[in-house]
Amino acid sequence: MNLNGKVIFLIPGFASDEGDQNCLPYLQDLMLLLKDKLGSDRMEIIAFQYPFQRSTYNWHGIQVHAMGGKNRKGISKLLTWIRVWTVLRNIQAKSTIGILHAFWLSETALIAQIFGFFHKVHSMVTIMGQDPLKSNKYLRLLKLRKFTLIGVSNFVSEELEKSSGHPADDVIPHVLKTENFANLPESEPSYDILGVGNLYPLKNYNLFIEIVEILVRDFPELKCGIAGSGAQHDDLLKLISAKKLDKNIELLGETQRSKVLAIMKNSTVFLHTSQYESQGFAMSEALYLGMKVVSTPVSDTESNDSIQCGKTPQELADCVRIALGNKTRECVVFYPAEKAVGKYLSHYMTFSK
């Protein structure tokens, strides 16, 4: 592709090596898909906080600069920003920067805004999670009109417009690199109901447990699993025990993405109980692997015909009950990867001429 200069990606954290599957897998997939079109020599990644050790390394042919910020605050955060600035200046000195692409309306976007202003480089930002909400302190510092704003869902764009008056310029959902789904092992366990995500309050696994409690009245042998780790692990174990669901719900802990995908391939219903979601990448994975997806009404789920939604524990339990009775499996592509990549490339070409 005839792109004038490099695309520099500014990201809070990135995979520490090619085996680090669980660090922002949706960004790993996107980087690999973009590399197929741009070439690795046209891309560099700057990771602000993670990996925690400062280094420059090669990830699938793409150069990654880890600033080792370790999520520190105060003067340490400022030092991280200075290191990022230094790396950007060094890249600019060696080769032209065509566009700065930040992820999250956060420090990544702020540095892109300032560096872009002084060096006449256009910046775009992909809005990823809770960053469009009014509670995001960076919104007051960012001149949103100067960016190309990309939302990962219509919901994110609408939330940004509510908080700032600026909707996203385009909506490009997270997409899958489907090669990751080839040759998944058959030996992984299967579950009637599976949940995937970090164990913290926003993911609302208390609701997951309540739904299972309703269902075991009719399905006493129900087998459920939750893949993920987090601060609520012990509390959830206690709740499972208090409701006498020890034989029905298994907490799988931190699980490699490839293993999670293999479990999805063998399991029936993906139950998503989150209180907030920008898009829900794991739901896309589950749909692609033929699972039935039941979710709380977050992001754009209510407008997706492949996802069944419920607002109350009973409504969600009823949706799961119906899904358990449907034995067909269909591969559903949430959003075509080639369409998403094409949109990003179009934006890059527009502003890197």
Side-chain angles (χ1 to χ4, degrees), residues 28-40:
Q28 293 190 45
D29 279 13
L30 178 60
M31 293 300 118
L32 291 172
L33 289 164
L34 288 171
K35 187 190 82 165
D36 290 343
K37 298 295 184 181
L38 289 172
S40 57

Side-chain angles (χ1 to χ4, degrees), residues 73-137:
K73 299 179 180 180
I75 189 67
S76 295
K77 181 182 283 288
L78 181 59
L79 288 173
T80 298
W81 292 358
I82 292 171
R83 290 173 190 147
V84 172
W85 190 277
T86 301
V87 170
L88 286 170
R89 287 189 62 185
N90 289 340
I91 295 171
Q92 183 77 312
K94 295 175 184 176
S95 57
T96 303
I97 296 177
I99 193 163
L100 296 167
H101 186 171
F103 290 85
W104 281 274
L105 291 166
S106 65
E107 59 182 344
T108 54
L110 182 62
I111 296 301
Q113 174 179 284
I114 299 170
F115 188 89
F117 173 78
F118 282 106
H119 294 270
K120 304 296 186 290
V121 179
H122 185 71
S123 298
M124 65 187 297
V125 58
T126 298
I127 306 151
M128 300 285 286
Q130 298 181 66
D131 42 326
L133 303 181
K134 276 188 176 181
S135 55
N136 179 8
K137 62 184 179 181

Side-chain angles (χ1 to χ4, degrees), residues 6-11 30-31 34-35 38 42-48 62 65 88 99-103 108 124 344 348:
K6 290 189 173 186
V7 183
I8 308 301
F9 300 95
L10 306 177
I11 305 175
L30 178 60
M31 293 300 118
L34 288 171
K35 187 190 82 165
L38 289 172
R42 290 286 188 173
M43 304 167 61
E44 292 194 39
I45 297 169
I46 302 177
F48 282 49
I62 303 169
H65 307 273
L88 286 170
I99 193 163
L100 296 167
H101 186 171
F103 290 85
T108 54
M124 65 187 297
Y344 273 124
Y348 296 160

